[in-house]
Amino acid sequence: MVVLEIEDSEKRCSRCKQHKPRAAFASNKSIRDGLQSYCRECAAAYHQQRQVAKGRNVRPRVGVPEGHKCCRTCGEIKPHSEWTRNRSASDGLATLCKSCKAIKGRAGHLKRHYGLTEADRDEMVASQMGLCVICLKAPAVHVDHCHKTGRVRGVLCFNCNSAIGKLGDDPDAVRRAAAYLEGNAWKPTLVAPGVYQLPS
Ligand SMILES: [Zn+2]
Ligand SMILES: [Zn+2]
Ligand SMILES: [Zn+2]
C-alpha cells in the first residue's frame, strides 16, 4: 500500500492532495488523527474563498508569518522591527516600512531643497551619463546647488562635491588649483615698489 511508504509524521491534505508534515495541519480533536483534513494553506485559501463568496473582501493573510507585516508600497514581508510605530493604526504600525518611508523622505527632501522631483534628478543623472561631471569617474549621486541662488548646478560624486565646497565654491580658487597642479603656482604681481596685486 502506498500509505505505508509515507512516514506517519506526514498527512495527506484532502484538498491539495499533497503529503505534508503534521505541523502543516491545524489540530482538530473531532477527527481521528487529531488534525484537520485540509492543510493550513488550503484551510486559509478555503476561508478566503468563503469570505469572498459571502461578499467580504478579506486581504489574504497567507504567507505573512507572526510578527511580520506586508508593506503595500514595496510588497515585501518584513519583521515588525522594520516598521515605525503608529498608535492610530489598527496594528500599531506605520503603513510604509522603514525603507519605503526613507525613500519617501528623500523624495520630499529633493523637492523641498532643490525643487526637483526624482524624475528630474534621474533625467539629470542620465544627461551626465550617470557620471560625476567633475571627476568623470565616480557615479553622480549628490545633487549640487549654488548656495547663493539655490540653482541646481548638476549631480556630483560626494568627493567632488566636498572638494568644491572646501575651495569655497569659488571658480577662481578652483582655476588656481588647476594651474597649481600644472606647475603654475600663483605669485603676487609687483605693481609698484612694495605693492603687490592680489587677485580680485
Ligand atoms: Zn492542502
Ligand atoms: Zn516597503
Ligand atoms: Zn566626482
Side-chain angles (χ1 to χ4, degrees):
M1 271 177 78
V2 178
V3 177
L4 292 175
E5 290 170 19
I6 306 302
E7 290 177 45
D8 55 354
S9 64
E10 289 197 342
K11 178 184 163 103
R12 185 166 182 257
C13 168
S14 62
R15 192 167 180 267
C16 66
K17 314 290 182 208
Q18 284 182 49
H19 289 278
K20 295 189 170 185
R22 288 180 63 89
F25 295 81
S27 63
N28 183 340
K29 284 185 184 147
S30 65
I31 291 176
R32 199 159 44 88
D33 66 358
L35 296 176
Q36 297 205 331
S37 52
Y38 286 4
C39 69
R40 288 178 199 271
E41 245 172 82
C42 286
Y46 177 71
H47 173 75
Q48 173 74 7
Q49 229 173 43
R50 297 274 305 155
Q51 295 302 106
V52 171
K54 281 189 233 162
R56 285 181 217 155
N57 191 11
V58 174
R59 292 187 160 270
R61 288 182 177 273
V62 185
V64 180
E66 191 59 31
H68 287 63
K69 175 174 167 150
C70 179
C71 174
R72 278 190 233 162
T73 304
C74 63
E76 278 179 51
I77 294 164
K78 298 179 172 185
H80 284 173
S81 58
E82 290 301 311
W83 304 78
T84 50
R85 309 270 151 210
N86 179 358
R87 281 189 192 190
S88 57
S90 61
D91 62 357
L93 299 172
T95 319
L96 278 69
C97 71
K98 279 182 187 171
S99 47
C100 286
K101 244 193 148 130
I103 290 166
K104 212 180 156 191
R106 277 198 290 279
H109 178 263
L110 208 57
K111 190 82 199 160
R112 278 194 306 278
H113 287 253
Y114 309 112
L116 285 181
T117 63
E118 290 192 301
D120 295 336
R121 192 259 331 267
D122 292 347
E123 201 175 297
M124 220 164 164
V125 170
S127 75
Q128 301 177 195
M129 291 167 65
L131 291 175
C132 166
V133 287
I134 294 182
C135 64
L136 306 181
K137 285 181 195 134
V141 287
H142 185 92
V143 176
D144 171 59
H145 70 288
C146 172
H147 292 271
K148 275 185 219 138
T149 65
R151 184 181 67 87
V152 173
R153 293 184 289 217
V155 191
L156 303 177
C157 73
F158 283 112
N159 275 341
C160 292
N161 181 64
S162 98
I164 60 168
K166 281 173 179 158
L167 288 169
D169 281 21
D170 176 3
D172 289 324
V174 177
R175 270 190 283 271
R176 281 192 295 277
Y180 171 85
L181 289 175
E182 286 166 345
N184 304 310
W186 176 84
K187 284 182 193 71
T189 323
L190 190 63
V191 286
V195 180
Y196 293 95
Q197 189 183 8
L198 289 168
S200 50

